[in-house]
């Protein structure tokens, strides 16, 4: 199965498979990136000195990062992993911590430092890779439906501007495989949260469908994030969607809804060379 399309390339190198965005590959002299396919659940491992875990599990997690990073010419010792908890918190990374996990909870990481590898994980949620080629700034953001309601994507733009003077019109945003409208079925409580936040947009009916028979709503979180980013000045041609549903493609892409309790996690990495 090959997931390549007009926006992404499905790369196979030995036992490692990953996606890369064609748009970001245009800047391969400045940045490196990848989104893993078929990586097991050990990516959820936290720092050994922050939570008790088995050494075997920790070591396997480290080996997974080494395999992915080496596939794109990076060193896993520079990985900084967000400890995700569906917040709108974005953390600036100013120095190489040389750890697999950061100390504080955050769902977004941003830096302008070379060699640091920003990493996030998902299993249906959207991961967004931000790149400002003019200021040479990157960010890696985890946005599930809660993050979308909290507008973490827009807050990332604000943080990039605040810290580094980034202009939204210069920013490229790439959205990884994630659950799509076809499978993101929710009850009224979640629908109400989305409508209370985004219902004033005249386009909202394009992003939320109602199934009267099932009394369920279907929400396009990719479309909503694209809409709010464009309203902040990001150019439409600079918002790149992988166009891959994690549920529809769960043979290669991890999906909480498809895999259930034993679900695994994929990871997205991005680094300034």
């Amino acid at each position: 199965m090959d997931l390549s399309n007009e926006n992404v390339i499905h790369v196979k190198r030995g036992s490692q498979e990953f996606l890369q965005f064609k748009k970001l590959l245009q800047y391969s002299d400045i940045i490196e990136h990848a989104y893993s396919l078929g990586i097991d659940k050990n990516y959820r491992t936290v720092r050994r000195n922050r939570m008790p875990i088995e050494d075997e599990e920790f070591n396997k997690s480290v080996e997974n990062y080494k395999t992915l990073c080496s596939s794109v010419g990076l060193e896993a010792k520079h990985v900084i992993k967000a400890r995700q908890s569906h917040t709108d918190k974005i953390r600036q990374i100013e120095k190489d911590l040389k750890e697999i996990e950061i100390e504080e909870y955050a769902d977004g990481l941003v830096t302008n430092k070379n060699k640091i590898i920003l990493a996030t994980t998902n299993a249906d949620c959207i991961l967004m890779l931000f790149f400002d080629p003019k200021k040479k700034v990157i960010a890696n953001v985890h946005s599930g439906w809660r993050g979308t309601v909290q507008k973490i994507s827009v807050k990332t733009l604000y943080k990039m501007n605040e810290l580094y003077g980034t202009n939204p019109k210069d920013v490229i945003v790439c959205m990884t495989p994630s659950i799509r409208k076809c499978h993101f079925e929710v009850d009224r409580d979640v629908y109400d949260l989305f409508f209370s936040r985004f219902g004033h947009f005249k386009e909202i009916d394009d992003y939320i469908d109602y199934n009267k028979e099932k009394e369920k709503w279907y929400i396009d979180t990719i479309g909503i994030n694209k809409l709010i980013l464009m309203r902040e000045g990001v150019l439409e041609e600079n918002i790149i969607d992988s166009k891959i549903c994690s549920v529809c493609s769960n043979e290669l892409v991890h999906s909480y809804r498809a895999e259930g309790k034993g679900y695994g996690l994929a990871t997205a990495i991005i680094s300034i060379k």
Side-chain angles (χ1 to χ4, degrees):
M1 184 177 182
D2 190 329
L3 297 180
S4 299
N5 58 39
E6 65 268 32
N7 290 336
V8 297
I9 297 174
H10 184 161
V11 181
K12 299 179 182 181
R13 291 180 185 164
S15 61
Q16 184 71 60
E17 297 186 49
F18 54 91
L19 297 179
Q20 290 188 302
F21 288 89
K22 295 178 181 179
K23 185 77 170 182
L24 294 183
L25 288 174
Q26 296 175 17
Y27 301 91
S28 58
D29 58 326
I30 302 173
I31 61 170
E32 193 56 85
H33 77 287
Y35 175 80
S36 70
L37 297 172
I39 297 299
D40 69 25
K41 63 186 178 182
N42 289 295
Y43 268 119
R44 74 183 66 197
T45 301
V46 297
R47 280 179 54 179
R48 193 190 326 231
N49 63 344
R50 303 294 294 182
M51 184 179 292
I53 59 175
E54 297 296 329
D55 285 346
E56 182 179 353
E57 182 183 347
F58 180 86
N59 292 334
K60 188 173 182 181
S61 177
V62 172
E63 286 304 313
N64 283 340
Y65 276 108
K66 285 182 178 178
T67 301
L68 178 62
C69 289
S70 64
S71 295
V72 293
L74 298 174
E75 294 184 82
K77 67 180 182 179
H78 300 298
V79 167
I80 306 297
K81 166 70 174 66
R83 184 175 296 188
Q84 300 161 200
S85 55
H86 298 283
T87 69
D88 62 351
K89 183 175 180 181
I90 302 149
R91 184 179 177 191
Q92 179 186 19
I93 305 299
E94 299 184 274
K95 62 180 181 179
D96 185 354
L97 302 179
K98 293 184 174 60
E99 293 284 358
I100 292 295
E101 191 89 13
I102 65 175
E103 295 184 14
E104 299 177 21
Y105 286 96
D107 285 84
L109 304 173
V110 59
T111 192
N112 68 343
K113 305 301 182 185
N114 295 345
K115 294 188 177 181
I116 292 175
I117 304 168
L118 306 181
T120 53
T121 53
N122 76 337
D124 284 336
C125 297
I126 309 168
L127 303 181
M128 300 185 205
L129 301 179
F130 288 69
F131 175 50
D132 175 357
K134 288 195 174 181
K135 300 292 186 180
K136 293 183 173 57
V137 177
I138 57 173
N140 196 342
V141 176
H142 164 257
S143 180
W145 68 261
R146 293 176 180 85
T148 297
V149 168
Q150 296 175 86
K151 298 185 179 180
I152 189 172
S153 59
V154 168
K155 291 173 183 176
T156 301
L157 288 177
Y158 295 163
K159 182 67 73 173
M160 293 171 71
N161 174 264
E162 173 192 344
L163 296 174
Y164 308 112
T166 286
N167 187 326
K169 72 179 181 62
D170 298 324
V171 176
I172 297 166
V173 183
C174 295
M175 301 186 185
T176 69
S178 59
I179 194 168
R180 304 289 154 143
K181 189 180 183 181
C182 56
H183 283 99
F184 187 40
E185 178 185 280
V186 303
D187 293 316
R188 175 172 285 279
D189 57 342
V190 175
Y191 161 76
D192 285 344
L193 288 171
F194 272 87
F195 196 81
S196 66
R197 179 55 62 96
F198 306 114
H200 61 286
F201 293 141
K202 68 180 188 304
E203 306 95 335
I204 193 61
D205 289 340
D206 295 333
Y207 304 115
I208 301 178
D209 290 340
Y210 177 58
N211 184 313
K212 186 175 181 180
E213 291 184 4
K214 297 177 70 174
E215 296 186 351
K216 301 286 185 179
W217 287 261
Y218 295 82
I219 301 177
D220 180 1
T221 54
I222 289 284
I224 289 174
N225 274 288
K226 182 176 180 179
L227 176 64
I228 61 178
L229 286 168
M230 288 173 59
R231 286 183 172 240
E232 294 297 328
V234 180
L235 303 180
E236 183 174 10
E237 61 265 30
N238 284 341
I239 303 175
I240 315 300
D241 178 16
S242 69
K243 297 186 176 181
I244 298 170
C245 176
S246 52
V247 180
C248 294
S249 302
N250 67 82
E251 299 91 343
L252 286 173
V253 181
H254 285 304
S255 166
Y256 173 76
R257 293 210 177 194
E259 296 175 48
K261 186 177 180 180
Y263 73 100
L265 293 172
T267 190
I269 56 174
I270 188 168
S271 178
I272 303 171
K273 292 184 175 179

